[in-house]
Amino acid sequence: MEGRRGGGETHSRSGEVVARMRALKATVNGSRRTARFGGRPCSDSHPDRYVSPVSCRFGRNGGRNTTLHSSTHHTFVQLTVKALLYAGVDQINVTWAINQSLPGATVSAYKKVKVSFCYAPASQADRGWRKTDDNLKKDKTCQFMITTQPYATAGSVAYTVERSIPTATFFVIAYVLDSEDAEVAYGQSTDAQKTTNLFDVVGITGRHASLGIAAACFSAFSVVALAFFFVVEKRKAMK
Amino acid sequence: MGDSGKSSLQVEPSDEQATRFKMPVDSEQKATEFWLFSFAAPHMQAFHLSWFSFFCCFVSTFAAPPLLPLIRDNLNLTTTDIGNAGIASVSGAVFARLAMGTACDLVGPRLASASLILLTTPAVYCTSVINSASSYLLVRFFTGFSLASFVSTQFWMSSMFSPPKVGVANGIAGGWGNLGGGATQLIMPLVYELIHHIGGTRFTAWRIAFFIPGLMQTLSAIAVLALGQDLPNGNYRKLEKAGDKHKDSFGKVFYHAVTNYRAWILALTYGYCFGVELTIDNIVAEYFYDKFNVNLRTAGMIAASFGLANIVSRPGGGFLSDWISTGYGMRGRLWSLWVVQSIGGVLCIVLGLMHNLSAAIAVMLLFSFFVQAACGFTFGVVPFVSRRSLGLVSGMTGGGGNVGAVITQLIFFTGSRYSKETGITLMGVMILCCTLPISLIYFPQWGGMFCGPRADATAEDYYAAEWSDEEREKGYHSPSVKFAENSLREGGRRRRPSPTVPVEATPTHV
C-alpha cells in the first residue's frame, strides 16, 4: 500500500471513490439490560457488548431496567471489496436509518446522531491507545468523528476523509445520543465480530521534499563544520 | 628518581607564570572555587559549554516520546515497535560512552564531544523524513549515541576543577544536562503546537519540530569547538606539540581502566541510579496515563517533573558528596552514596504500590530526588578511581548506566509478564541488591565503607602505580602526582597527621 508521495499534497489518484455504506443489522436480540449504578461494566454474555455498557456505565436510570436498541436497517448492499480511501482526497457516503419496529425503543429520548470512524481489530492489535473497552468512557475505538446531526429517522452524510486520519483499517459507527449526550443506541457498518465490510484509509505521510532537502543541508553543514574545525586545529598545531 | 617536585617543574610550560586566571587555582591550574553565574575562561566557560551541549543531546534523544501520539499514528507503529525503539535509544550509548572515555583520554574532551555531537545531528534532522517503524528505530538508536557526551562532560569538569569542587561541578553539569530529558517533554509539544497553529498538518508539524533539537545540538557543538579549551593551560594538541603533555597510548589507558575493580563496581551501581532514571523517562508518562486515567498532557507534565528535579537533585548529590568529604573523606562519600541510592530503591518499591494519584506523584518526586542525587554522589567518587584512565573509567561508569537502563527495560517493561506497577516495585528491589557492591570498594590510602585505610598507603602511591618505572622516570606521571597532592582531603579529618608526599623515597607498588 503506497503512502502519499512527497512534494506537497498532490496525489496520484484522480476522481472519487464513493463507498456507500448501509447500517448493517446488528446481532441484537433486544433483551433488556440491567442498569447498574456506578460504572461497573456489565459482564453479560451478550455477543454484542456495545449493547450493555452505556446503561451500566452511567447508571443514569437509577437502577431501572434500560434497553439499549441498535438502529438497524435491512441490508441490501454490501461492500465485498475493501475500499481504499486516500486521506484528504476521497469521499465516503454514509447513510443510516432507524429500525422503529424493535420493541421498547424510547424514541423520544433520541436527540442526536453521532457518526464516527472506528478502528477495526487489525488496527487495534498491539496498540493499547486504540483499545476497545466495554466502558464507553474509556473506550478508544472511535477517535474520529464524521458528523453530529439532530436526530431523524434516517440520515446521510458525504464525508471527505480528513488529512488527519492515519493509515489504518476502519468501519463506521452511528451512535444515537440523548439530551445528556449519553449513547443510547447505535449501529455499525460491520458485523459483530468486525470482520466484514471494513475499509482501509491511506493517510498522508506528512513528508515534503523541502523537509528532506532541509534535513540534508543541515546535516551536511554539521559535518562540514566539524571538518573545518579539525583543519583549523591542525594548522594551529603546526605553526 | 621519583623526584616528583623537580620533574613537574620541568614539565610546566615557561609561559606558565604569564597565565592569569580570574579564578583561584591549584597546582594543576584547576579551579578551587565554583562560580555558577560566571563565564570566566577557561574554567566556568568550559562548565557552561559542556552542560549546555549535553543538555541539547538529552533534548534530542528524548524528543520523540512526547510526540509519540502523533508519530505512532503517522508511521502506524505498534507497542512493540515503540518499546524496541525506546531500548534502542539508550543502548547505542553503552559502547559510545566507552569509546568516548578513551577518546577523551587521547584527544581531549573538547574535540571528542564536539565530534560526537556534530556527527549525531544528522540522525536528528533525518527524524523529520522517516516513514516506517524500522527507520524510527534507527534514528532513535543513532540519536541516542549523543548521550555519550556525558562522559566528556564529566571528564572536562574533572580536568578543570580541583578535587574539593569536582563533585559539585560534575553534579551540576550532569544534572543540568539530564534536565534535557524533562525539558524536552515540555519543549517538543510546545514547538509542535506552534507549528501546527501556523498552518502545518499534524503529520507535518511534528516533523518540522525536530529541527529545533537538531539546531540546538549543532550550534552548541560549534560553540564548544570555537570557545572551549581542554585544559586550563590549553588544548591537548597544542600542549602535546609543545611537549607539555605526554600523549598517552590507548593500550595502557585501556589496561589500567579494566583492571581496576572499582570501575566495574561503579559501572554496576550507576546502572541502578542513572539507568533507572532513563527507564523511568521512557515509561512514566504512559504509566500515569494508563493507571490513573490522566490525559496525555497531564501525563507529560508529570513525566517532565521527574526529569526537571535534576536542576537541584543531581547537583545536590555532588555538593553533598564534596561537603561530606571535608569531614569524613572518601569513606563518607562511599557511605552517603550507598545510603542515598538504597533509599531510592526503597522509594521505587513504594511507588509501584501507590494506588492514589497524589500519593504516587509525591513518592515519584521523592524518588526522583534520591535516585538523581545518587548519580551525583557516584560522580563524586569516580574522579578518584583512576587518574591516568579517568576518561575510560568515566566511560565505563556511564556506559554501565545505559546497560542498567537496557536491562531493566528488557526484564520488567517489555511484553506483558509484569504489569507496570509490579515492574516498578521489582525494579526497586533490584536497585537495593545492585547497590550493595559499593561496600566492596576500598582505597588503600583512604579506606572503604567498612575498613579503614592502611597506615603505609598514600594517594601518590596509588596513582603513581598506574605508570611503569620508565614512564615515571620521564615524568609522565606528574599530573597524577599533583592530583594526589590535591586529594589529601579525601583522607578526612584524622587524628594522625596526614601522610606527606614522599619526595625522596622510591614509590612502593600498591
Side-chain angles (χ1 to χ4, degrees):
Chain A
M1 197 156 56
E2 181 67 18
R4 289 243 169 273
R5 299 181 67 231
E9 303 289 350
T10 57
H11 311 295
S12 47
R13 285 177 64 97
S14 55
E16 290 178 0
V17 163
V18 172
R20 177 154 292 175
M21 318 289 290
R22 298 275 182 207
L24 283 185
K25 182 177 176 182
T27 55
V28 171
N29 62 23
S31 55
R32 291 179 173 274
R33 299 269 76 90
T34 311
R36 288 176 194 265
F37 204 82
R40 180 171 159 280
C42 298
S43 52
D44 297 292
S45 56
H46 195 282
D48 207 337
R49 48 154 199 80
Y50 277 100
V51 174
S52 39
V54 171
S55 47
C56 297
R57 168 173 60 90
F58 289 112
R60 283 175 188 282
N61 301 292
R64 284 190 294 111
N65 285 348
T66 332
T67 308
L68 191 67
H69 292 278
S70 83
S71 323
T72 62
H73 190 98
H74 291 296
T75 6
F76 53 84
V77 172
Q78 280 207 27
L79 222 53
T80 50
V81 173
K82 262 198 198 163
L84 195 68
L85 302 171
Y86 281 83
V89 166
D90 295 327
Q91 221 182 40
I92 144 179
N93 285 353
V94 184
T95 57
W96 62 90
I98 305 301
N99 183 347
Q100 290 175 339
S101 60
L102 280 178
T106 46
V107 177
S108 53
Y110 298 174
K111 293 289 176 242
K112 286 189 269 195
V113 177
K114 183 174 82 172
V115 186
S116 304
F117 267 14
C118 304
Y119 289 109
S123 288
Q124 290 177 300
D126 203 12
R127 294 175 178 87
W129 60 91
R130 295 176 183 170
K131 216 166 66 157
T132 298
D133 193 311
D134 276 355
N135 185 343
L136 279 179
K137 208 171 193 172
K138 289 192 187 178
D139 181 62
K140 300 200 173 95
T141 319
C142 305
Q143 295 187 9
F144 304 101
M145 192 189 65
I146 296 175
T147 182
T148 305
Q149 294 181 0
Y151 170 74
T153 49
S156 72
V157 64
Y159 173 70
T160 305
V161 180
E162 274 173 19
R163 289 188 301 174
S164 54
I165 311 275
T167 303
T169 311
F170 294 93
F171 60 97
V172 174
I173 277 189
Y175 279 114
V176 178
L177 310 175
D178 68 7
S179 52
E180 285 158 11
D181 277 348
E183 290 85 350
V184 290
Y186 82 104
Q188 60 189 29
S189 68
T190 180
D191 61 358
Q193 283 74 36
K194 294 186 256 184
T195 52
T196 60
N197 232 21
L198 305 170
F199 57 94
D200 290 318
V201 170
V202 176
I204 59 168
T205 61
R207 294 165 67 182
H208 293 254
S210 49
L211 272 180
I213 294 173
C217 286
F218 281 106
S219 306
F221 171 70
S222 303
V223 177
V224 164
L226 181 65
F228 170 76
F229 275 98
F230 260 95
V231 166
V232 165
E233 280 283 300
K234 219 166 189 162
R235 290 230 184 105
K236 263 201 228 164
M238 286 211 242
K239 272 191 204 148
Chain B
M1 178 68 179
D3 191 343
S4 53
K6 210 194 217 171
S7 56
S8 68
L9 273 177
Q10 281 170 347
V11 169
E12 278 168 8
S14 56
D15 55 338
E16 219 302 274
Q17 287 85 17
T19 311
R20 286 252 179 268
F21 296 117
K22 277 194 208 139
M23 306 182 68
V25 294
D26 65 12
S27 63
E28 281 188 282
Q29 281 77 53
K30 294 187 188 176
T32 52
E33 282 178 31
F34 185 82
W35 301 338
L36 183 57
F37 298 108
S38 149
F39 278 83
H43 306 92
M44 293 314 302
Q45 196 174 62
F47 166 76
H48 287 291
L49 288 170
S50 71
W51 83 256
F52 187 70
S53 54
F54 181 44
F55 171 89
C56 296
C57 294
F58 249 93
V59 169
S60 307
T61 304
F62 292 100
L67 296 181
L68 264 179
L70 297 155
I71 302 178
R72 67 191 179 195
D73 274 350
N74 197 179
L75 269 44
N76 205 12
L77 301 176
T78 63
T79 307
T80 309
D81 295 329
I82 295 173
N84 288 342
I87 293 178
S89 69
V90 294
S91 54
V94 171
F95 292 105
R97 286 182 166 201
L98 297 170
M100 191 59 155
T102 317
C104 284
D105 284 323
L106 300 178
V107 302
R110 173 181 156 265
L111 277 181
S113 69
S115 307
L116 172 75
I117 295 175
L118 284 172
L119 290 174
T120 47
T121 43
V124 183
Y125 293 123
C126 289
T127 311
S128 59
V129 295
I130 56 176
N131 66 347
S132 67
S134 36
S135 53
Y136 174 66
L137 185 134
L138 280 175
V139 291
R140 287 213 71 191
F141 176 66
F142 286 112
T143 306
F145 273 66
S146 64
L147 288 187
S149 59
F150 164 75
V151 176
S152 57
T153 301
Q154 302 291 292
F155 184 96
W156 209 355
M157 293 301 97
S158 305
S159 307
M160 284 286 181
F161 290 91
S162 191
K165 289 295 169 188
V166 78
V168 71
N170 275 342
I172 301 185
W176 288 10
N178 284 14
L179 195 63
T184 193
Q185 315 259 5
L186 296 173
I187 294 176
M188 293 304 282
L190 216 64
V191 171
Y192 159 76
E193 267 168 43
L194 199 67
I195 298 173
H196 188 38
H197 186 72
I198 291 178
T201 59
R202 292 191 324 149
F203 292 160
T204 305
W206 76 259
R207 294 173 182 276
I208 301 178
F210 268 85
F211 278 87
I212 301 299
L215 273 171
M216 282 168 67
Q217 247 188 265
T218 302
L219 295 174
S220 64
I222 291 180
V224 164
L225 282 173
L227 303 171
Q229 191 175 301
D230 291 314
L231 291 167
N233 289 334
N235 289 321
Y236 272 33
R237 245 183 225 197
K238 191 179 102 192
L239 295 175
E240 281 162 8
K241 216 63 193 169
D244 299 335
K245 187 192 174 307
H246 158 66
K247 186 170 167 61
D248 214 341
S249 86
F250 169 69
K252 296 278 174 58
V253 163
F254 184 81
Y255 175 78
H256 287 290
V258 301
T259 52
N260 194 326
Y261 73 94
R262 303 170 193 84
W264 291 103
I265 294 181
L266 288 173
L268 169 68
T269 61
Y270 197 59
Y272 289 90
C273 55
F274 181 65
V276 163
E277 185 185 336
L278 289 183
T279 300
I280 298 277
D281 272 341
N282 264 336
I283 64 146
V284 73
E286 248 192 303
Y287 175 68
F288 276 88
Y289 181 81
D290 289 335
K291 186 169 163 87
F292 299 103
N293 285 324
V294 297
N295 64 34
L296 208 68
R297 185 181 290 183
T298 310
M301 277 169 51
I302 298 175
S305 64
F306 176 83
L308 288 175
N310 266 303
I311 297 183
V312 291
S313 54
R314 187 170 173 142
F319 173 77
L320 283 171
S321 184
D322 286 341
W323 180 68
I324 284 181
S325 80
T326 54
Y328 300 98
M330 177 57 65
R331 295 185 75 183
R333 289 191 196 259
L334 290 171
W335 265 103
S336 49
L337 167 59
W338 178 79
V339 165
V340 167
Q341 192 158 319
S342 301
I343 295 179
V346 168
L347 286 168
C348 190
I349 295 175
V350 170
L351 176 62
L353 300 171
M354 291 288 107
H355 296 297
N356 172 278
L357 177 62
S358 2
I361 294 180
V363 171
M364 186 204 74
L365 284 175
L366 220 57
F367 166 61
S368 73
F369 274 102
F370 277 90
V371 85
Q372 290 159 6
C375 298
F377 275 99
T378 306
F379 274 85
V381 174
V382 164
F384 298 99
V385 168
S386 164
R387 183 62 186 79
R388 183 173 194 178
S389 310
L390 171 64
L392 191 48
V393 169
S394 299
M396 283 166 72
T397 309
N402 281 60
V403 169
V406 170
I407 291 178
T408 48
Q409 280 177 97
L410 267 178
I411 297 178
F412 301 120
F413 301 106
T414 306
S416 38
R417 198 190 318 155
Y418 302 110
S419 65
K420 281 224 164 60
E421 52 257 32
T422 314
I424 291 178
T425 300
L426 291 177
M427 187 167 69
V429 174
M430 199 165 184
I431 295 175
L432 284 176
C433 297
C434 293
T435 304
L436 289 172
I438 294 177
S439 51
L440 300 174
I441 295 182
Y442 180 77
F443 289 90
Q445 69 274 29
W446 298 319
M449 269 173 73
F450 297 112
C451 307
R454 286 212 319 257
D456 57 345
T458 66
E460 202 214 29
D461 298 339
Y462 177 82
Y463 293 112
E466 293 181 318
W467 303 86
S468 68
D469 288 338
E470 309 86 61
E471 289 165 331
R472 268 181 254 152
E473 243 175 85
K474 293 182 200 159
Y476 291 159
H477 71 306
S478 61
S480 296
V481 170
K482 286 192 225 169
F483 182 74
E485 289 167 9
N486 293 318
S487 314
L488 281 183
R489 197 181 77 167
E490 299 308 314
R493 280 190 217 118
R494 290 154 36 161
R495 300 223 163 70
R496 299 171 275 160
S498 349
T500 50
V501 177
V503 173
E504 307 296 328
T506 2
T508 49
H509 289 276
V510 175

